[in-house]
Each structure stands twice: as structure tokens, then as C-alpha cells.
Amino acid sequence: ANGVDEEPAIELFNLMAHFAGYGFNKAHAMAYGLISYQTAYLKANHPLEYIAALLNSRGGDFDKLKQTILDAHAHGLVVHKPDINRSAAGFSVGDVDTREILFGLQHVKNVGESVTEALIAARDEGGPFTSLLDLCLRAESRDLNHRVLESLIQCGALDPLGDRHALLRQLDGAMDHAAAVKRERDVGQASLFGDEVDIIGTLVPHLAAADAPSDPGRGDESWLAWERDLLGMYLSDHPLRRIAATLQERVDTSINELGPHLDGLVVQVGGCIRDVRAFVPRKSTTGQRMAFLQIEDLTGACEVVVFNRVFEEVAELLRPDAVVIIRGKVEVGRSGANGAAAAGGAVDDDERDAEPAKIRADAIFAIDDARLVAWRANTTVHFRLAPHHHHLVGPLHQAIAEHRGDARVFVHVESAESIDDVALDDGFAVEPGPGLERTVEALLGPGAYRVETRRERALEREPWGVGRRG
């Protein structure tokens, strides 16, 4: 109708149709751009408030909550465990000077909204709680039962009131005494006990008499297990921090690095086993088991699929809280727990990007396995030497000497006309790590340090659950 030839008209229409499959109109794009600008501004200028709000928006999803907390820690913010005398119902800003965010009381497992409201109302009216009995006497909620108080103690919310193990031993007595006081008060006989302040002062030493004082700032393995179960992650400490250096030597990839860019490559990761689900596949002809694991390092968690051949070799290692090293193929776009029975098939790019990466294990080792002692990641370290930094070759040499290791070093020397790539010999090999990165970037500026890890592409195998034999 407009005098355009048929061939270019069809070509133009096809381009428009293709764009309509993923694009959106200018008004939509402007709205997205405005929101992106606003959130970037808030994150850059008010990070505490922004991250606290983001955590509240993800409060119902432990996985997203955990990833956001790890991201906050990576950016220098500190998310502390709940505090009965400081925390709000949701995540809130704590001490600004220490860049602190406080975990919200209502996000503790087993603690409901009504209990949280009652606790905060009692605190606002009468000031901070001074003891477990004080809390039981002042908080008015029928939902404040043994299970709720036990959860608050175990997750660390009542640490200001004493040691967690001591508080658990006091719990039954404190609840019984508080219930007795409330019953007497309800029938008008509070005068038999005298002033309530005297009641607390008399009973608290009695309840704690058999408990040796402990340092409420120091925890043990049970504390960490409780925090993981009730908060979804460790906050006081992490059991892997004690072996972080050893773990770093025996892996080439951290879990937060997994993604579509590593699909099909072989990686070596390490961490604590959080969950083990072993079963016999429905189509198995041998009766041998396979398993799905959840493994967690200091940066995140992922699912690992262990087929029968590997499982039978390492079954005794696969228990919760065991620290293991896993070598396997990264797979993106699988359907998770149903993957073992699915026939597999093509997955479009959108779906692949949306689903978290998983690892199909080829080998699993204990952290102290002798076979790992001599293993080294296949990495090279790159330094960029800008023209105005050429005089810093001496200090750079000193930095290399202080971080000896096995990784080859390439120095990219920039000049006005070209960039010369210089491969240093084995005598200048280094140990990559945060210390070397900080030293080099302090000398040469941000972006002057880069670590490249070379990984093999895994051999192609049959789809999960299809024609697989023991």
C-alpha cells in the first residue's frame, strides 16, 4: 500500500516480529530505566537502608535471603543475628558506623508475627529485657510458647540475656515461674509475692544458680547448627572459615561463580554438605542408588547430582556437615530433582539463564584426601602495567616475591603505541589470593589484577535417566 517492494517489506516485518519476542516499547523502557536509576542511586548512597529493604522484600524465600546477605557481606555490610533488645520485626539498620543490619525477629523460623509484635510492644513500654524471666513476665502473647522461646534462644536472639545453653536449661523454670506469677496477678493476689521487681531479682539467681557463667559472644558447633536451621544460614561464624585457606588451595571455582558461562565445563568446588537425598531411580535395572546433595561454601550453595557409579564409591562421605571437594560438570537449565527421570532435551536461553547451575559429580573427595595435596588449579595471574606505572616494576617484583606459588604470571605492559605481553618464567610464579590482589591494586590501581582459570570441557554423556546402567 505504501509502494514498498514485497521482499524488503517481508524482511522488515520479520525483524519487527523477532524484536517483539523479547523487546518492549519506549514507555516501558523508560520506566525500567527510571527504576534502575533510582535503585542504583539508593544502593550507592544509602546502602544500609537499601539492602535492609531488599532483605525484607525477600523474607519469605530463604535461598534469596541468603544470597542477598552474602552479597551484603561482600560489599562490606554486616548482617547480624537477631537481638531481642535491638531488632525490629523485619530487617533494620543497626549501628551505622559499623555498617550493621539487624536480622528481623519475625524472620526467625517458628516465630510468628503476633509474638514479634508482643515482644516489641513490651520492650517499647518497659525498656530492654534484662533476663529470660523478665521477658516471660512482660511479653503478653498466648503464642509465646516453649517452641518459640527455644527458637529465639537457639538462633542467638537472647544472647544479651546469657549463654544459649544456660538459657535453655532455665527455660522450663522461667516459664513455670512466670505463669505462676501471672495466675496470682490475675486473681488479685500479687501482694503475696510483693513487688514484681523483687520477684525477678529473687528468682533469676535461683534459676541460674547451677549454671556456670559463659561468654555469650563465643559459640560452638551446636550454635552454628541452630542458626543454620532457624535463620537459613550461619551468622555468628561459619565452620568453613577455620579451613578457608586449605579449601581455597583445593578448588578452582567458588559456588557464586557458577553460571551459564561455565555450562559444560569441569570445575572443582568444595564446601559443607547441607542435605543428602539418596534414592534408587525408578528406571534402574541394578537397584543402585544415586543422590542429590546441597553443598555450601562461604559464597553460596548449589545442588550436586551424584550418579550411582560415583555414589557407591563415596557413600560413606556423603553425610550432613561433612566437608568435601567435588569435581564435576556444570549443567544449567536442568529441571532439578526431576532430572534423574527426565529424558532431557533442548532448553532455550531464557530458561537456561533463569535456573541455577548444578554440578554433575565425577569424583568426590574428603577435604584431607591425600590425592588433593599435590593438586593445583590451572590458573594464570595477569598484571596490567600502565605507561605511568613503569617505574613500579621494582615494588611489583617485591609483591611477587612475597606471594610465591604455582600460578604463572603474565604482565601486560602498556605504552602509547602498543601493549606488550610478557610471560614471566616459573621462578616468578605466585599464589593467587586476596592478599596479592590488594597489594597489586594498591600499586597499579583498580583492575590491574586478574586471575584466569582454565577449565576442561566435559565429555558429552547420555541425558539423565535415559538408558543409564550401573
Side-chain angles (χ1 to χ4, degrees):
N2 293 322
V4 179
D5 292 340
E6 182 177 1
E7 186 174 344
I10 291 174
E11 182 181 358
L12 178 61
F13 181 86
N14 288 337
L15 284 172
M16 294 168 62
H18 177 67
F19 175 78
Y22 66 90
F24 38 72
N25 60 37
K26 190 180 293 185
H28 197 113
M30 182 174 179
Y32 260 120
L34 180 60
I35 292 172
S36 299
Y37 176 85
Q38 291 170 334
T39 53
Y41 175 87
L42 290 171
K43 189 172 183 179
N45 294 280
H46 305 280
L48 284 170
E49 292 83 356
Y50 174 80
I51 294 295
L54 184 60
L55 287 167
N56 282 319
S57 73
R58 295 177 169 180
D61 188 326
F62 264 178
D63 290 336
K64 288 185 177 180
L65 200 63
K66 178 178 177 180
Q67 191 56 52
T68 305
I69 290 174
L70 290 170
D71 183 55
H73 288 170
H75 286 83
L77 308 182
V78 180
V79 180
H80 279 162
K81 63 183 185 296
D83 185 325
I84 192 66
N85 286 330
R86 300 173 62 214
S87 290
F91 289 89
S92 59
V93 175
D95 185 351
V96 175
D97 292 336
T98 59
R99 298 169 66 83
E100 177 191 44
I101 296 173
L102 293 171
F103 204 99
L105 293 174
Q106 71 181 17
H107 297 302
V108 179
K109 188 177 180 180
N110 302 327
V111 179
E113 186 176 346
S114 63
V115 171
T116 302
E117 291 175 354
L119 291 171
I120 293 175
R123 187 181 70 195
D124 291 343
E125 181 179 350
F129 298 107
T130 58
S131 68
L132 180 58
L133 179 59
D134 181 36
L135 186 153
C136 293
L137 283 168
R138 288 166 52 193
E140 298 290 341
S141 174
R142 288 179 295 179
D143 296 327
L144 187 64
N145 54 35
H146 189 283
R147 186 186 186 196
V148 170
L149 286 169
E150 184 178 61
S151 298
L152 288 170
I153 292 170
Q154 290 178 336
C155 77
L158 303 194
D159 281 0
L161 310 183
D163 174 79
R164 298 185 203 182
H165 293 293
L167 291 173
L168 288 173
R169 290 192 292 270
Q170 297 172 23
L171 181 55
D172 289 335
M175 292 186 70
D176 290 344
H177 282 294
V181 170
K182 289 179 179 179
R183 283 196 301 270
E184 298 292 351
R185 186 171 56 198
D186 290 342
V187 297
Q189 296 185 19
S191 59
L192 293 177
F193 292 91
D195 188 73
E196 278 191 11
V197 175
D198 294 331
I199 298 171
I200 296 172
T202 302
L203 293 180
V204 169
H206 170 72
L207 291 172
D211 297 321
S214 302
D215 179 1
R218 295 177 63 84
D220 55 27
E221 294 295 338
S222 61
W223 286 30
L224 299 179
W226 290 336
E227 288 181 17
R228 185 193 70 217
D229 293 340
L230 296 168
L231 305 179
M233 65 180 301
Y234 303 109
L235 286 179
S236 294
D237 196 1
H238 198 294
L240 291 179
R241 286 200 179 95
R242 302 165 195 173
I243 58 169
T246 302
L247 196 63
Q248 187 177 31
E249 291 174 358
R250 300 182 180 182
V251 303
D252 62 17
T253 307
S254 57
I255 289 177
N256 70 339
E257 292 179 290
L258 300 177
H261 63 292
L262 297 180
D263 191 22
L265 300 182
V266 176
V267 299
Q268 191 154 303
V269 301
C272 292
I273 295 176
R274 289 288 154 249
D275 183 46
V276 182
R277 290 172 287 146
F279 60 96
V280 177
R282 284 179 296 175
K283 295 185 178 181
S284 172
T285 59
T286 64
Q288 291 182 309
R289 295 174 297 168
M290 62 174 291
F292 289 100
L293 313 178
Q294 280 288 331
I295 184 171
E296 175 186 284
D297 68 6
L298 290 169
T299 68
C302 73
E303 185 174 78
V304 179
V305 184
V306 186
F307 283 110
N308 46 27
R309 176 187 60 81
V310 177
F311 181 84
E312 297 300 336
E313 293 174 358
V314 299
E316 71 280 359
L317 294 178
L318 305 184
R319 60 186 187 279
D321 296 327
V323 180
V324 295
I325 303 296
I326 296 175
R327 183 182 301 148
K329 176 185 176 183
V330 177
E331 295 186 333
V332 182
R334 299 288 187 181
S335 58
N338 295 326
V347 182
D348 61 40
D349 289 341
D350 292 338
E351 184 180 352
R352 293 171 72 87
D353 290 344
E355 294 203 12
K358 303 173 181 64
I359 297 174
R360 183 166 66 184
D362 291 326
I364 300 178
F365 308 93
I367 183 68
D368 56 356
D369 193 304
R371 290 171 291 181
L372 295 172
V373 174
W375 180 89
R376 291 293 181 271
N378 189 7
T379 59
T380 54
V381 177
H382 299 261
F383 302 147
R384 191 189 74 241
L385 200 64
H388 58 288
H389 287 150
H390 289 182
H391 65 288
L392 296 175
V393 170
L396 182 61
H397 183 199
Q398 180 63 30
I400 292 173
E402 292 173 355
H403 296 84
R404 295 291 190 191
D406 298 306
R408 292 286 306 277
V409 174
F410 284 81
V411 181
H412 306 281
V413 184
E414 299 179 359
S415 66
E417 297 80 21
S418 64
I419 299 177
D420 295 323
D421 299 327
V422 180
L424 304 186
D425 65 33
D426 292 342
F428 295 93
V430 297
E431 181 64 37
L436 178 60
E437 180 178 8
R438 285 192 296 268
T439 302
V440 171
E441 294 202 338
L443 280 173
L444 307 180
Y449 172 93
R450 178 172 62 89
V451 177
E452 177 187 8
T453 301
R454 294 183 297 282
R455 303 177 177 90
E456 298 177 358
R457 181 158 294 279
L459 298 175
E460 291 299 321
R461 297 184 179 179
E462 299 174 42
W464 293 3
V466 179
R468 296 192 65 86
R469 296 187 296 175

